[in-house]
Amino acid sequence: MTWLQALPALFIAIGVFLIPGAVLGRAVGLRGLMLWAVAAPATVSVASITAIAAGVLGVRWSVGLVGLSVIALALLCLLLRFAVSVTRTRIDGRSISPIRSVRSPELPLPIGVVRALSYVAAVVAPTVIITWRFMATIGSPGNISQSYDNVYHLNAVRHIMETGSASSLSLGSLTEAGEGFYPAAWHDMISLVALATGTSIPVAVSLGNIVIGAVVWPLACMYMISRITGMSAITILLTGMLSGGFAAFPYLMIDFGVLYPNLLSIAILPVALGIMISFLGVGVLTAGLGHSVVLFLLVFPGLALAHPSTAIAMIAFGAPVVLAWVAYRTLQWRRGTVANRRMGLIFTFAGLYLGIGLVAWNLARLDPSVSLWDPRQTGSQAVGEVLMSAPQGAEASLALFALTILGLAVLSTRPARLWIVGMFSVGLGLYVIASATGEGEFRHFWTGVWYNDANRLAALLPVVTLPVAVIGGEWALRRLADIVRTSELPSAIARRVSTPESRVHYTLPATGLLAGIVLIGVSAQLMGVPRQQSEAAPGYRYTDSSDLLSVDELAIFDAVEEHVPEDAQVFGNPWTGASLVYAFTGRQTVAPHITGQRTDEENILLTQLDEAGAEPGVCAAVRNTNTYYALDFGTREVGSRYHPSTAMDNAESAPGLELVASAGNAALYAVVACGTQGEAS
């Protein structure tokens, strides 16, 4: 399949992410930018909660089930709005619709039309840029990331589609011995994309990730920035252009790991922060308690069920916002403009926020034994990487570096906005601790939530760097526009082209602003992002020596579909990628993930399968698990690791195995020493 052939499915995938949440958003009164920014997070929330409820009730997962949930919730919201007499209210009265028809003498179009076109451009530009870069990275819609975690991710999507069970409470390790909690929101959404489009799981993964990176993320960024600075066309355009300029997100998350659940959760994070900012009133656009609670309920469940660590990041980034709010209200209280009772409620809220946040932080920290990532640099190097938007050794972005430094300088002169610097400092501090601090309790306390893995914290940095960079860019552009406007240039141009001077005084700076925004956007696409793309692309190519699946191994999956019954289980060493037979063909496998708990019979198959017919107990395990076929993908393992396996080390000479098909070093065997499939044990 080519990208052109996949285009209709891509539009369906966009609909899968946006339409359910948009329906629910309209039911609660959302409109404009708020509606579309909240739409995808709301869809994720409804889908992931519906999956849990369906698991409890024993209802099969499907697109229709999610649709029914959305309709039921939308009707309930409409009834509640009617009951409390708020059917005529709007949560966001300053959204981009409806378009005003006021005409300015300096403009050839109504002001509202110009502003609306700016907002559309702010959405379209990053969507096109990020989509193109994702496509170039992935190469072909059916390609997969040749990485460790992808064995689980792809097989988990297949598990959802095959079993109809999509609950985060049971997705676990996909084996009978180890079912348990795993945040399944990303897998739920990709399964919906696959079911709605009819595409293969690899194609659905590619399309879903493009929607997350190119649609959900820019809209979320624009929503957050609009809560901070307002709906200025300049800031919204700058946000859109810069949202695709960070190598660390969204691009790093489709390369490292791969951390697809983090991709989804971090794409939602700016919306959650925007809700907090507007509720506490520290930005320009504010919202009341009731509206904020509604938005929080729409967004937070999806964020937490995409990846809980990002919910912890929200608490960390929100702490400076809460402290700034308390400080501001305290000043008002001392001036007598805030009542004592209200101040007591403010202190109570802040105390609960910090206390609950600390408890959640401690609960979310992982055991040190699984937090194996070592520091890789000095503290000063880590700080430099953050300032240059070049974490984890990425190539520096000079444009983002300049805008970040300028933004920090501007914010330092605005005490009411220092909480933005606080958010940035939290992100910087966590990254420095993970990447540059030695092993110990201090490091594990602060970054154990993220496995002490600097890559995960690097991906969070654009969320807190973007506001700083946008504010720096806006300040620079407005100063340049003011210089042009107050100079003699507009008058000279007006005289030369016989145009009213008032129009030139408006259109010349406006044209310069637009050109400056485009220049900033183009500059942000240089250096860091192209290098990240070029480094990630080889990991999505099928070659003779691919880390996870080679060209020959992929061909063997075709043989599996031809020779292996649909209800059969296939053995494969998961370290070699053989376990992806489940994701690609639907045939179950002994070990659907590289790690995980195994039953005694599974352990026998994973160590002694080639001894079928000779070693007591092997055939019993074969019959009881219905494992009459086996894949041998050699000894090459993902990540150039080496875990010696004895299960198929003598496959070629084993009398109990019979070769069914081969391609290069990859082979499919039938286990003939144990009778035939379906035979009683």
Side-chain angles (χ1 to χ4, degrees):
M1 177 183 284
T2 66
W3 288 114
L4 184 61
Q5 292 170 327
L7 199 58
L10 177 59
F11 286 117
I12 294 174
I14 293 173
V16 168
F17 273 85
L18 295 184
I19 292 176
V23 169
L24 193 55
R26 285 299 298 138
V28 300
L30 304 183
R31 53 188 279 180
L33 174 60
M34 179 179 286
L35 172 64
W36 295 109
V38 171
T43 298
V44 176
S45 292
V46 172
S48 53
I49 292 175
T50 297
I52 293 174
V56 173
L57 298 173
V59 178
R60 186 174 180 84
W61 174 254
S62 67
V63 175
L65 179 64
V66 176
L68 287 174
S69 298
V70 169
I71 293 171
L73 288 171
L75 291 174
L76 178 62
C77 291
L78 290 172
L79 288 173
L80 289 174
R81 288 181 65 199
F82 178 77
V84 297
S85 302
V86 294
T87 54
R88 295 182 180 180
T89 63
R90 290 288 186 267
I91 288 180
D92 188 10
R94 284 168 282 191
S95 59
I96 68 172
S97 299
I99 297 173
R100 293 186 296 162
S101 59
V102 178
R103 184 180 292 275
S104 167
E106 295 86 7
L107 284 172
L109 293 172
I111 294 173
V113 172
V114 172
R115 180 172 294 177
L117 289 174
S118 299
Y119 298 153
V120 171
V123 174
V124 171
T127 297
V128 171
I129 291 170
I130 298 173
T131 297
W132 176 77
R133 290 207 178 276
F134 268 48
M135 287 180 174
T137 298
I138 298 169
S140 177
N143 289 356
I144 66 167
S145 172
Q146 303 276 342
S147 55
Y148 176 94
D149 286 343
N150 215 20
V151 175
Y152 175 83
H153 294 321
L154 298 183
N155 282 339
V157 175
R158 173 64 72 181
H159 175 83
I160 290 171
M161 297 173 66
E162 293 287 328
T163 66
S165 175
S167 174
S168 295
L169 301 181
S170 60
L171 195 60
S173 63
L174 308 183
T175 65
E176 293 181 3
E179 285 195 352
F181 176 81
Y182 188 91
W186 178 87
H187 306 86
D188 294 343
M189 293 305 301
I190 298 303
S191 71
L192 291 176
V193 171
L195 291 168
T197 61
T199 58
S200 67
I201 290 174
V203 172
V205 169
S206 297
L207 299 180
N209 286 341
I210 287 173
V211 175
I212 295 168
V215 179
V216 179
W217 164 249
L219 284 171
C221 291
M222 283 181 263
Y223 175 77
M224 178 179 67
I225 298 298
S226 69
R227 304 306 99 176
I228 297 172
T229 65
M231 291 294 293
S232 162
I234 295 176
T235 54
I236 297 299
L237 276 169
L238 267 176
T239 301
M241 296 299 289
L242 291 177
S243 63
F246 292 89
F249 193 86
Y251 309 107
L252 180 61
M253 291 295 93
I254 65 168
D255 178 22
F256 174 78
V258 283
L259 302 180
Y260 290 152
N262 296 71
L263 173 72
L264 177 58
S265 62
I266 296 173
I268 296 173
L269 178 58
V271 177
L273 289 173
I275 294 169
M276 181 183 296
I277 291 165
S278 60
F279 167 63
L280 296 178
V282 295
V284 172
L285 298 183
T286 62
L289 175 61
H291 297 157
S292 299
V293 169
V294 170
L295 291 175
F296 181 81
L297 292 175
L298 287 175
V299 171
F300 186 78
L303 170 69
L305 289 173
H307 207 288
S309 69
T310 306
I312 301 300
M314 185 199 78
I315 294 172
F317 293 153
V321 184
V322 171
L323 294 176
W325 171 65
V326 171
Y328 175 66
R329 294 302 184 191
T330 300
L331 288 175
Q332 290 184 317
W333 172 63
R334 294 183 64 181
R335 294 168 184 162
T337 57
V338 174
N340 290 342
R341 182 179 178 183
R342 184 176 179 83
M343 201 64 215
L345 292 174
I346 290 171
F347 280 125
T348 300
F349 175 85
L352 287 173
Y353 180 91
L354 297 175
I356 293 173
L358 182 60
V359 171
W361 192 283
N362 277 304
L363 291 175
R365 279 192 302 157
L366 301 161
D367 189 276
S369 63
V370 299
S371 302
L372 304 176
W373 295 91
D374 296 323
R376 50 173 290 273
Q377 60 187 342
T378 65
S380 59
Q381 287 174 320
V383 171
E385 287 186 346
V386 174
L387 293 175
M388 292 189 168
S389 292
Q392 294 302 90
E395 190 167 352
S397 171
L398 297 181
L400 289 173
F401 172 67
L403 294 177
T404 300
I405 295 299
L406 185 56
L408 291 172
V410 171
L411 288 167
S412 68
T413 65
R414 301 176 182 178
R417 293 289 183 266
L418 284 177
W419 57 268
I420 302 174
V421 179
M423 288 173 56
F424 176 81
S425 299
V426 169
L428 182 149
L430 291 173
Y431 177 75
V432 170
I433 291 170
S435 66
T437 304
E439 292 291 343
E441 182 56 32
F442 176 82
R443 181 172 186 251
H444 185 67
F445 174 82
W446 288 109
T447 62
V449 175
W450 296 274
Y451 297 88
N452 295 324
D453 178 10
N455 289 285
R456 299 167 193 264
L457 291 161
L460 290 165
L461 289 172
V463 176
V464 292
T465 303
L466 183 61
V468 176
V470 168
I471 288 171
E474 180 193 21
W475 183 90
L477 289 172
R478 290 192 184 279
R479 297 294 82 74
L480 290 173
D482 289 342
I483 291 172
V484 172
R485 189 179 291 111
T486 57
S487 69
E488 295 296 324
L489 186 59
S491 300
I493 293 176
R495 290 192 300 269
R496 189 173 186 84
V497 299
S498 301
T499 300
E501 189 171 324
S502 60
R503 173 169 292 186
V504 177
H505 268 280
Y506 188 94
T507 57
L508 184 62
T511 302
L513 284 172
L514 181 60
I517 292 170
V518 172
L519 180 61
I520 288 173
V522 172
S523 299
Q525 290 297 313
L526 304 177
M527 303 174 73
V529 173
R531 177 179 168 183
Q532 179 61 51
Q533 176 187 320
S534 65
E535 290 180 351
Y540 279 86
R541 300 301 185 269
Y542 294 114
T543 67
D544 292 336
S545 58
S546 302
D547 249 15
L548 203 56
L549 286 180
S550 68
V551 174
D552 291 336
E553 292 163 353
L554 195 63
I556 289 297
F557 285 164
D558 293 333
V560 170
E561 291 188 308
E562 179 181 352
H563 297 286
V564 178
E566 292 183 1
D567 61 343
Q569 181 161 268
V570 180
F571 167 83
N573 178 0
W575 284 98
T576 66
S579 289
L580 282 174
V581 66
Y582 185 40
F584 277 77
T585 72
R587 275 62 171 181
Q588 293 186 359
T589 186
V590 175
H593 185 31
I594 292 176
T595 60
Q597 295 178 337
R598 319 290 189 198
T599 66
D600 291 340
E601 289 179 334
E602 288 169 347
N603 281 324
I604 290 174
L605 297 177
L606 287 165
T607 56
Q608 298 175 277
L609 184 58
D610 59 0
E611 298 176 39
E615 183 67 26
V618 175
C619 278
V622 168
R623 296 188 188 102
N624 291 337
T625 61
N626 198 26
T627 308
Y628 285 88
Y629 293 88
L631 292 169
D632 183 4
F633 282 2
T635 59
R636 188 185 64 254
E637 297 182 2
V638 62
S640 300
R641 304 179 190 187
Y642 184 58
H643 298 80
S645 173
T646 58
M648 296 288 286
D649 55 348
N650 296 310
E652 293 182 0
S653 59
L657 303 181
E658 181 179 282
L659 182 66
V660 175
S662 64
N665 293 323
L668 170 66
Y669 289 90
V671 183
V672 295
C674 304
T676 59
Q677 183 179 347
E679 186 177 68
S681 59

